[in-house]
């Protein structure tokens, strides 16, 4: 399993993280506006000229790998790993690297990691829920009366369809990382860059310190699903479909949200259809079909074939091809922990975990996106998320005073019925039992550290992300007495078909600093501790730059210099060529560094309330966190054997100690 919620910490544009048109309130009967925005720069304008993801030099990868291993191994283990690395670098690793470079030169339309990364996800046989799929929950609508479930579901659905139409029309603003927005995020620049040919446009942006991001994943947001297949799943997209899939109490409903001309169905009609679904008093089915998407992928593949042969092919096609899946829950959210459990896994009856994303609305209007991870990463999902929040709150299609259309929803809305024989019912029951058993073992907890956040830490010339990661290292050391493999996801969307790279936050610097804080605080002055924190911050900044874009600045060409994906691609190539697994990959140290006990991912958006994911290994923690301007939030999951609540208490203690040291106070043991 791998880390999830792979989000780029890009500079947001505007209060909700996305550009938008001039907002205007629509009257209840005027029908929805068709587009979110009308960018004068075509959506895919930069795609053809994006730089290719560079393959690092093998010697650099080995050096970085050994640096990451240093805090995890004793001297004897480290010497053995050094020998494995030396043999690999001068032997089979060199041959594989040369083959990888040659293969990459023959496939200039993509990146060296794209194919292997798709295979990694699609060949995984673990259930997608809890093992791969993360969630992000929206903040409430600032206008409380708009948080009614029907009102918000209607508005978010229409905003999502507006996003779809804007994307497909090429009117969605290109995704760009602005290092100097005063120069590049301007109307003047946009008017100029649109006349630069697509084959050269990236270079024009680069000259003003703007880095367009890969948008090749965006088309999979809609009308897409992951089909279970034996050995390797399949991603399918059917852009001809015009219907929405709605799940409520385990029942499946479909109705068109686009008409035959591709226009959005009127807001009052969509409101009427959703109201009709919400008024259905049918009990939850005895054998909810959705449980099958929680199964092992080979088991699910076999069951799906039986469903198809049993007369369910057309109904399943409706599920698979739907624009997206809207889940309407019948209960309110109690607190943030309940929110996390609900949006990450729920009870399994009212989600279709294979869809590219599920838009979930609780009875009190609390909303979230739960997404399948094989098709893409957090950059595309977060852009969609931000735009939907902004549009649905600033230009809502309906108001609390809007009346549903007088239309025959019983004719427009179709409830899908599935033919289930006794064997299939038994299989659904077995899937439910397995799902219930694993869900019962998952613990989630959350803290908000209110003493300070990004503003305070930046004033101290400390990286906010480095401080958060240091707190996790200190917490684990305090709770378990050691330093362990740690993974922080980082986007490489600055490159054509880039996916992600790993930052390895556990370093010799964090180990030294953590031990000083946790084991011997009385031996160090606050100044000495601050100096160690500064070293951690500097090194973490270096790791982040290496992983994401190398040196991002006017005088430097972007590079990508992490080690994880390079070693992964070499291993993948060896397997594809039928070469025996090199000794480097058989080294216990390699297995250990890829057993990510601390799997972390940060969320940076003013629209996100909370996000999270399950641990990627049974004895690990899944850590979703965000460093806000004034506070730090941390959402942690664990299975038996680890204790999320105690870990968070240790994180809180670590943050208190860090802030005490900054303020010159003595650290309490």
């Amino acid at each position: 399993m791998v880390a999830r919620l792979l989000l780029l910490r890009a500079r947001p544009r505007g209060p909700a993280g996305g550009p938008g048109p001039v907002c205007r309130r629509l009257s209840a009967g005027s029908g929805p506006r068709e587009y979110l925005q009308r960018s004068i720069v075509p959506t895919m304008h930069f795609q053809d000229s994006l730089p290719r993801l560079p393959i690092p030099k093998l010697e650099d990868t080995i050096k970085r790998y050994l640096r990451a291993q240093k805090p995890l191994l004793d001297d004897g283990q480290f010497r053995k790993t050094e020998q494995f690395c030396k043999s690999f670098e001068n032997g089979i690793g060199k041959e594989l690297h040369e083959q990888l470079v040659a293969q990459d030169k023959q496939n200039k339309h993509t990146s060296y990691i794209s194919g292997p990364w798709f295979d990694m996800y699609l060949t995984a046989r673990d259930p997608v829920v809890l093992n791969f799929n993360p969630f992000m929950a929206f903040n409430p609508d600032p206008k409380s009366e708009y948080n009614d479930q029907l009102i918000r579901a209607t508005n978010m659905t229409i905003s999502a369809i507006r996003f779809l139409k804007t994307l497909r029309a090429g009117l969605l603003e290109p995704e760009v990382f602005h290092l100097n927005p005063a120069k590049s995020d301007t109307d003047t620049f946009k008017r100029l860059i649109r006349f630069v040919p697509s084959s050269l446009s990236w270079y024009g942006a680069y000259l003003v310190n703007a880095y367009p991001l890969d948008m090749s994943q965006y088309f999979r947001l809609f009308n897409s699903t992951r089909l279970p297949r034996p050995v390797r799943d399949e991603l399918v997209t059917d852009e001809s479909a015009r219907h929405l899939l709605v799940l409520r109490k385990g029942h499946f409903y479909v109705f068109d949200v686009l008409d035959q001309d591709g226009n959005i169905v009127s807001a009052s009609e969509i409101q009427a259809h959703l109201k009709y679904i919400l008024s259905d008093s049918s009990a939850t089915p005895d054998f909810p079909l959705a449980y099958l998407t929680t199964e092992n992928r080979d088991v699910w593949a076999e069951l799906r074939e039986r469903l198809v042969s049993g007369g369910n092919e057309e109904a399943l096609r409706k599920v698979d091809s739907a624009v997206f899946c809207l889940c309407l829950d019948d209960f309110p959210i109690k607190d943030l922990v309940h929110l996390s459990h609900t949006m990450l896994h729920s009870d399994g009856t009212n989600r279709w975990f294979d869809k590219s994303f599920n838009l979930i609305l609780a009875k009190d209007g609390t909303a979230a996106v739960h997404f399948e991870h094989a098709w893409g990463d957090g950059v595309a999902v977060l852009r969609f998320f931000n735009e939907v929040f902004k549009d649905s709150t600033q230009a809502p299609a309906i108001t609390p005073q809007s009346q549903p259309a007088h239309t025959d929803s019983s004719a427009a809305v179709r409830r899908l019925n599935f033919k289930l024989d006794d064997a299939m019912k038994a299989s659904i029951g077995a899937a439910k039992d397995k799902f219930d058993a694993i869900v019962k073992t998952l613990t989630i907890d959350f803290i908000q550290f209110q003493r300070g956040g990004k503003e305070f830490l930046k004033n101290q010339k400390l990286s906010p992300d480095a401080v958060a990661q240091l707190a996790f290292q200190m917490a684990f050391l305090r709770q378990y007495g050691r330093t362990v493999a740690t993974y922080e996801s980082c986007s490489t969307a600055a490159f054509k078909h880039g996916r992600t790279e790993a930052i390895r936050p556990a370093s010799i610097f964090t180990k030294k600093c953590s031990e000083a804080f946790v084991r011997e605080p009385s031996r160090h002055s606050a100044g000495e501790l601050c100096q160690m924190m500064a070293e951690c911050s500097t090194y973490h900044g270096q790791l982040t730059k290496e992983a994401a874009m190398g040196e991002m600045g006017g005088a430097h060409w972007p590079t990508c210099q992490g080690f994880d994906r390079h070693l992964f691609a070499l291993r993948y190539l060896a397997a594809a060529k039928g070469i025996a697994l090199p000794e480097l990959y058989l080294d216990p140290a390699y297995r250990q560094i890829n057993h990510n006990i601390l799997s972390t991912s940060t969320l940076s958006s003013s629209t996100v309330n909370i996000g999270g994911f399950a641990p990627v290994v049974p004895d690990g923690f899944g850590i979703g966190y965000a460093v806000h301007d004034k506070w730090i939030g941390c959402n942690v999951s664990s299975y038996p054997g680890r204790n999320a609540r105690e870990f968070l208490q240790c994180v809180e203690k670590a943050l208190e100690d860090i802030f005490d040291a900054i303020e010159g106070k003595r650290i309490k043991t």
Side-chain angles (χ1 to χ4, degrees):
M1 292 181 277
V2 295
R4 285 86 51 152
L5 221 58
L6 307 172
L7 303 183
L8 179 73
R9 295 184 296 278
R11 180 185 299 278
R13 292 167 306 204
V22 176
C23 297
R24 58 185 177 86
R25 174 92 22 117
L26 297 168
S27 63
S30 65
R33 181 169 39 84
E34 296 288 311
Y35 301 106
L36 290 176
Q37 55 204 219
R38 293 178 180 271
S39 173
I40 61 173
V41 182
T43 305
M44 304 301 281
H45 187 57
F46 299 103
Q47 191 68 27
D48 288 346
S49 56
L50 284 174
R52 300 194 63 233
L53 183 68
I55 301 175
K57 294 178 181 178
L58 182 58
E59 57 266 34
D60 290 341
T61 288
I62 295 299
K63 286 176 186 174
R64 294 187 176 102
Y65 172 67
L66 287 171
R67 284 208 310 255
Q69 287 283 18
K70 188 72 172 172
L72 307 180
L73 305 174
D74 63 31
D75 290 344
Q77 292 170 325
F78 187 75
R79 282 193 295 271
K80 288 179 183 176
T81 296
E82 275 186 314
Q83 286 302 312
F84 284 125
C85 287
K86 186 175 181 180
S87 298
F88 182 77
E89 184 180 349
N90 296 323
I92 187 62
K94 184 178 181 182
E95 295 175 27
L96 288 169
H97 177 77
E98 290 170 354
Q99 291 178 38
L100 182 66
V101 170
Q103 182 176 285
D104 186 54
K105 286 179 180 177
Q106 294 172 354
N107 292 278
K108 293 186 176 179
H109 63 286
T110 187
S111 70
Y112 78 91
I113 198 61
S114 182
W117 210 240
F118 274 120
D119 272 357
M120 180 272 297
Y121 275 118
L122 295 174
T123 59
R125 301 293 83 192
D126 293 316
V128 293
V129 61
L130 296 182
N131 293 306
F132 297 101
N133 295 13
F135 82 92
M136 293 185 287
F138 291 93
N139 278 319
D141 192 305
K143 302 178 292 296
S144 60
E145 66 272 22
Y146 281 78
N147 288 308
D148 172 84
Q149 186 182 31
L150 176 60
I151 299 296
R152 200 173 197 200
T154 303
N155 282 327
M156 285 192 150
T157 294
I158 290 171
S159 292
I161 305 302
R162 287 174 180 166
F163 186 100
L164 176 156
K165 290 205 65 182
T166 309
L167 172 66
R168 290 182 180 169
L171 297 173
L172 188 72
E173 286 204 12
E175 188 72 10
V176 179
F177 185 97
H178 296 281
L179 279 179
N180 189 355
K183 279 189 176 181
S184 58
D185 197 12
T186 65
D187 289 340
T188 300
F189 173 74
K190 292 169 187 174
R191 283 195 294 269
L192 291 172
I193 199 67
R194 65 176 171 161
F195 293 113
V196 178
S198 291
S199 59
L200 298 172
S201 55
W202 181 88
Y203 301 92
Y206 171 73
L207 290 174
V208 290
N209 265 1
Y211 293 86
L213 304 183
D214 181 82
M215 298 183 74
S216 63
Q217 299 172 1
Y218 280 56
F219 83 101
R220 292 279 191 200
L221 273 164
F222 301 104
N223 301 100
S224 298
T225 198
R226 173 175 173 163
L227 293 184
R229 301 291 192 210
V231 182
R232 185 186 191 273
D233 288 355
E234 178 185 1
L235 296 175
V236 295
T237 302
D238 179 4
E239 294 187 357
S240 66
R242 297 181 282 114
H243 63 279
L244 177 71
L245 172 66
V246 182
L247 266 60
R248 179 169 175 267
K249 291 179 16 178
H251 295 288
F252 295 68
Y253 308 82
V254 293
F255 64 86
D256 285 351
V257 288
L258 295 165
D259 66 21
Q260 291 182 339
D261 297 320
N263 298 313
I264 303 175
V265 171
S266 75
S268 60
E269 284 186 64
I270 291 175
Q271 181 185 11
H273 298 337
L274 292 177
K275 183 177 181 180
Y276 172 78
I277 291 169
L278 286 168
S279 68
D280 188 342
S281 60
S282 302
T284 301
D286 291 333
F287 299 96
L289 191 74
Y291 277 120
L292 296 182
T293 64
T294 72
E295 262 288 10
N296 169 278
R297 301 307 291 179
D298 282 336
V299 173
W300 175 204
E302 182 185 346
L303 293 173
R304 182 186 168 90
E305 289 176 4
R306 284 167 43 194
L307 282 170
V308 169
S309 62
N312 297 292
E313 184 173 11
E314 197 270 338
L316 285 170
R317 188 181 297 118
K318 282 287 185 184
V319 172
D320 299 333
S321 63
V323 173
F324 63 88
C325 180
L326 173 67
C327 307
L328 300 175
D329 286 347
D330 267 12
F331 53 86
I333 297 301
K334 301 171 187 173
D335 53 37
L336 287 173
V337 171
H338 182 227
L339 187 155
S340 291
H341 280 293
T342 298
M343 304 309 183
L344 182 60
H345 56 77
S346 73
D347 68 358
T349 62
N350 210 46
R351 308 283 184 267
W352 196 256
F353 292 114
D354 289 357
K355 283 297 282 182
S356 55
F357 71 89
N358 290 250
L359 176 60
I360 305 165
L361 277 100
K363 194 171 181 65
D364 60 1
T366 301
V369 167
H370 173 112
F371 66 98
E372 196 279 319
H373 224 324
W375 65 269
D377 304 313
V379 174
V381 178
L382 188 61
R383 174 70 184 278
F384 167 76
F385 188 99
N386 285 336
E387 297 285 9
V388 166
F389 182 85
K390 182 176 183 178
D391 188 68
S392 65
T393 57
Q394 296 184 11
I398 66 169
T399 73
Q401 292 73 43
S402 299
Q403 293 300 310
H406 295 291
T407 185
D408 185 5
S409 291
S410 66
V413 178
R414 175 184 166 197
R415 194 164 101 181
L416 301 179
N417 293 309
F418 296 90
K419 301 168 186 175
L420 308 176
D421 59 23
D422 289 343
M424 187 60 65
K425 290 176 181 177
S427 295
I428 292 172
K432 178 186 186 303
D433 290 344
K434 283 185 274 187
F435 180 69
D436 288 349
I438 188 68
V439 162
K440 284 177 183 175
T441 68
L442 183 72
T443 299
I444 301 177
D445 218 327
F446 178 81
I447 60 164
Q448 290 178 324
F449 180 78
Q450 300 285 358
R451 194 165 155 186
K454 192 180 300 180
E455 290 178 0
F456 175 80
L457 294 170
K458 283 189 172 181
N459 285 338
Q460 310 304 314
K461 295 185 169 51
L462 292 172
S463 156
D465 191 60
V467 168
Q469 289 289 343
L470 174 61
F472 304 149
Q473 296 299 314
M474 290 167 60
F476 196 89
L477 183 67
R478 182 177 297 279
Q479 193 176 11
Y480 298 104
R482 60 195 180 102
T483 297
V484 292
T486 308
Y487 182 110
E488 179 181 0
S489 52
C490 181
S491 173
T492 53
F495 302 92
K496 183 177 290 186
H497 293 188
R499 293 289 309 234
T500 62
E501 183 54 90
I503 301 170
R504 293 295 185 166
S507 67
I508 56 172
F509 300 100
T510 60
K511 187 174 185 178
K512 175 185 172 185
C513 190
S514 297
E515 289 177 347
F517 268 103
V518 174
R519 290 181 172 162
E520 43 189 20
S522 60
R523 291 183 55 189
H524 300 279
S525 67
E528 289 170 338
L529 292 172
C530 285
Q531 178 58 38
M532 284 187 264
M533 283 192 286
E535 291 171 355
C536 292
S537 179
T538 299
Y539 187 67
H540 188 78
Q542 177 188 330
L543 291 177
T544 304
K545 286 179 181 178
E546 288 175 352
M549 278 190 68
E551 296 293 331
M552 288 198 302
H556 299 279
W557 196 260
T559 59
C560 182
Q561 298 293 324
F563 69 82
D564 277 84
R565 298 300 176 263
H566 188 193
L567 289 179
F568 176 86
L570 295 175
R571 179 176 181 166
Y572 179 90
L573 182 61
K577 299 276 187 183
I579 298 171
L581 194 62
E583 283 186 324
L584 171 70
Y585 300 105
L586 298 172
D587 179 10
Y590 181 82
R591 289 198 299 274
Q592 177 180 276
I593 201 172
N594 286 288
H595 185 85
N596 293 301
I597 290 174
L598 297 181
S599 180
T600 75
S601 190
T602 187
L603 294 161
S604 290
S605 171
S606 60
T607 66
V608 177
N609 181 6
I610 193 173
F613 50 91
V616 300
V617 293
D619 59 340
F621 291 109
I623 305 171
Y625 67 101
V627 184
H628 300 276
D629 286 342
K630 305 285 188 184
W631 59 281
I632 299 169
C634 190
N635 195 28
V636 175
S637 60
S638 65
Y639 291 118
R642 300 291 185 201
N643 188 311
R645 174 88 292 254
E646 289 181 6
F647 179 75
L648 279 172
Q649 289 171 348
C650 292
V651 170
E652 205 158 18
K653 163 67 173 164
L655 289 169
E656 291 285 359
D657 287 351
I658 288 168
F659 276 66
D660 280 349
I662 291 170
E663 294 172 0
K665 298 176 183 175
R666 195 160 193 81
I667 307 303
K668 301 170 186 175
T669 53

